[in-house]
């Protein structure tokens, strides 16, 4: 297989996931730029890329994002807010839409309350589908270290979910009693 063929195969396989990762960190527009730069680096270093390529590519994307953050923190803050806004605008596909929206809002609030490092770690595994070993490579640490960080991040997320401040709709009995009160006032 030639270098061009290997790059094409890697690009077709990994581009959507690298884009999703970069977008989750910095928003769609900047995420596309980071993804393009990631594959530019990959093209120059195609011989050095291990198999599977995804963890290596996500590591490059992560480094590019870190470099971007160092260069222009204000621009990053705007892009991160846009990424959160996009994340909040998704729709629900299951039966009870109100419960799904409430659950999603609580999860987003809990996730947003975590540190950037915890948020990145959890999303690498949950949203980007990496294994602990692959995520460790992206994060630049040993798998054992990542496992400990993951355990702690999950505990913090659980605590944040318990304290998420999403108002829940009144219970069905409370709504019925409330309606009965109004009926009596009208008759």
């Amino acid at each position: 297989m030639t270098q061009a063929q290997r790059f094409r195969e890697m690009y077709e396989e990994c581009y959507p996931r690298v884009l999703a990762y970069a977008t989750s960190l910095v928003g769609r527009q900047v995420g596309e730029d980071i993804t393009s730069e990631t594959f530019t680096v990959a093209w120059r270093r195609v011989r050095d890329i291990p198999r599977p390529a995804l963890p290596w590519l996500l590591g490059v994307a992560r480094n590019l994002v870190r470099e971007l953050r160092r260069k222009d923190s204000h621009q990053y803050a705007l892009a991160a807010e846009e990424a959160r806004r996009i994340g909040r605008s998704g729709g629900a596909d299951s039966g009870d839409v109100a419960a799904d929206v409430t659950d999603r809002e609580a999860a987003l609030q809990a996730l947003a309350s975590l540190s950037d490092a915890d948020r990145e770690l959890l999303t690498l595994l949950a949203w980007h589908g990496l294994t602990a070993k692959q995520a460790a490579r992206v994060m630049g640490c040993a798998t054992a270290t990542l496992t400990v960080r993951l355990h702690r991040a999950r505990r913090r997320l659980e605590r944040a979910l318990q304290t998420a401040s999403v108002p829940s709709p009144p219970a069905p009995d409370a709504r019925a009693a409330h309606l009965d009160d109004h009926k009596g006032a009208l008759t």
Side-chain angles (χ1 to χ4, degrees), residues 14-28 30-32 34-35 38-39 54-66 69 76 83 116-117 119-130 134-135 137-140:
C14 298
Y15 179 85
R17 293 177 73 186
V18 173
L19 177 61
Y21 174 71
T23 299
S24 73
L25 295 175
V26 294
R28 183 68 180 195
V30 178
E32 289 174 351
I34 293 292
T35 302
T38 299
F39 280 98
L54 184 62
W56 186 90
L57 291 166
L58 294 181
V60 170
R62 181 173 189 255
N63 289 337
L64 290 169
V65 168
R66 289 169 65 188
R69 287 177 181 167
Y76 171 73
D116 288 342
R119 205 169 31 247
E120 181 180 15
L121 176 58
L122 291 167
T123 58
L124 277 172
L125 287 120
W127 290 349
H128 301 291
L130 297 184
Q134 292 170 331
R137 183 169 200 167
V138 172
M139 301 290 287

Side-chain angles (χ1 to χ4, degrees), residues 59-115:
V60 170
R62 181 173 189 255
N63 289 337
L64 290 169
V65 168
R66 289 169 65 188
E67 183 179 320
L68 174 67
R69 287 177 181 167
R70 281 190 298 268
K71 287 181 180 178
D72 190 355
S73 61
H74 178 68
Q75 182 180 357
Y76 171 73
L78 293 174
E81 180 57 35
E82 178 67 9
R84 280 189 222 102
R85 186 190 65 74
I86 290 169
R88 279 189 235 115
S89 68
D93 293 329
S94 66
D96 188 357
V97 175
D100 290 346
V101 168
T102 302
D103 291 346
R104 179 176 171 81
E105 185 63 26
L108 288 171
Q109 281 185 9
L111 194 60
S113 73
L114 299 177
S115 69

Side-chain angles (χ1 to χ4, degrees), residues 147-169:
T147 304
V148 170
R149 288 179 186 170
L150 178 61
H151 175 73
R152 290 176 181 161
R154 284 179 175 158
R155 283 192 1 227
R156 285 188 284 269
L157 179 62
E158 283 178 21
R159 284 194 299 271
L161 278 168
Q162 290 171 354
T163 61
S165 60
V166 174
S168 57

